[in-house]
Amino acid sequence: MSEKSLYKDTFDKINEKFLKYYNFESKSIFDLLAMASFIKALEINILINQNVNSENSFLYLSNLRGTCEELISLKYLKEKINEADRNDLIIKLSQVQLSNDIAKQFSFLQKYRPFQPTLNAEKLETQNEKLTAINEILHRNGIKTKNKLPPTEQLALATGLSEFYEFMYRASSTFVHFNPRTMMRTVWYDNNKTFNFSISNFNSYYWDFSSFYGAYQFLILYKELKEIVDPADVINVEIMELKKTFKYRSHYPEIVTYEELNIDRPTTKWTVLNSLLDDQLFE
């Protein structure tokens, strides 16, 4: 019998309940963004936990970065931008991002695929009008950055998520940026003096990391946006089930492991004491 994920059944139950109960009527744009982020995190966790130690587990890791930044940005918008301005700011930011994407797309395709029809960049005057509106909203809410929200690091500091951000940013940066150490993990040297290159060489580690921190981020997202994503406590039982799986783990997945540094892992028998401490992971 194949190994089964600790989280699979719970995420499947959450998915079934949301498909059955969630009502999208009379929701603000911010509420829809919050739900979109929550459902995306749910679907990613369902995918990760379908197959334990999947050979493609490395490909899940970049999604941790997206969930982390969405959570921090949404919490910042909820807490630092007044409700009257929030939806308008989201619309204006989306419009400016769309214009920038079209401009970059136009530049690339005009050079490398000149006869392919493509959208034209927005007029500079129109873009400037939107930027002015964004800046007025930001300044009205006491934010001094220009044309956009502050960097994610500052958003995390302002919302009390600095430790969460620092760990998740460092972990995900290891996987989405140029990192020689991470690249060297694709190289496996066996006893017959041959090298094997594959992202699957660390697949059990990558799966465990993605599964654990994917579920962790999902729970933090739920905590911060609960009044939007689950005001009626539809999935409260399942949320408690997920939390229980964290308390009794012998160790949490590390960014840098003992094994990859060829160091013997210390005994984990004393880590049982962690289960007796107050759970700070979701505070």
Side-chain angles (χ1 to χ4, degrees), residues 10 58 61 63-64 75 81 94 106 108 134 144 148 156 179 181 189 195 204 218 229 269 271 274 278 280:
T10 307
F58 181 81
L61 295 164
N63 290 291
L64 299 178
K75 186 179 182 187
I81 306 294
S94 297
F106 183 85
F108 177 83
I134 288 172
K144 297 180 180 180
K148 58 185 178 181
N179 187 304
R181 182 176 64 84
Y189 181 73
F195 291 92
S204 59
F218 178 84
V229 301
K269 66 179 180 180
T271 62
N274 288 316
D278 291 335
Q280 300 295 315

Side-chain angles (χ1 to χ4, degrees), residues 68-161:
C68 175
E69 297 204 8
E70 286 173 7
L71 163 60
I72 292 168
S73 298
L74 288 168
K75 186 179 182 187
Y76 185 87
L77 287 168
K78 183 182 72 170
E79 295 181 354
K80 304 300 179 181
I81 306 294
N82 69 68
E83 190 172 358
D85 284 330
R86 192 182 301 145
N87 290 324
D88 193 27
L89 177 61
I90 292 170
I91 291 172
K92 292 296 189 298
L93 288 172
S94 297
Q95 290 173 337
V96 169
Q97 290 168 351
L98 175 63
S99 296
N100 290 337
D101 289 345
I102 289 174
K104 297 299 183 183
Q105 171 181 282
F106 183 85
S107 177
F108 177 83
L109 291 177
Q110 282 294 296
K111 181 174 182 179
Y112 297 108
R113 197 74 173 175
F115 296 105
Q116 176 177 324
T118 185
L119 296 164
N120 290 315
E122 186 177 56
K123 292 182 179 180
L124 183 60
E125 295 82 358
T126 306
Q127 180 83 332
N128 286 337
E129 289 176 6
K130 294 171 182 174
L131 292 174
T132 299
I134 288 172
N135 290 327
E136 289 175 352
I137 295 172
L138 293 175
H139 295 162
R140 190 158 57 241
N141 287 270
I143 301 168
K144 297 180 180 180
T145 52
K146 188 176 181 180
N147 301 338
K148 58 185 178 181
L149 291 173
T152 308
E153 183 178 13
Q154 294 180 27
L155 303 187
L157 181 63
T159 54
L161 291 174

Side-chain angles (χ1 to χ4, degrees), residues 169-198:
Y169 178 82
R170 175 53 51 193
S172 59
S173 292
T174 298
F175 305 126
V176 301
H177 294 307
F178 174 71
N179 187 304
R181 182 176 64 84
T182 302
M183 294 173 69
M184 289 300 293
R185 285 175 170 175
T186 67
V187 184
W188 197 266
Y189 181 73
D190 62 27
N191 292 331
N192 61 8
K193 299 182 179 181
T194 61
F195 291 92
N196 171 259
F197 292 80
S198 176

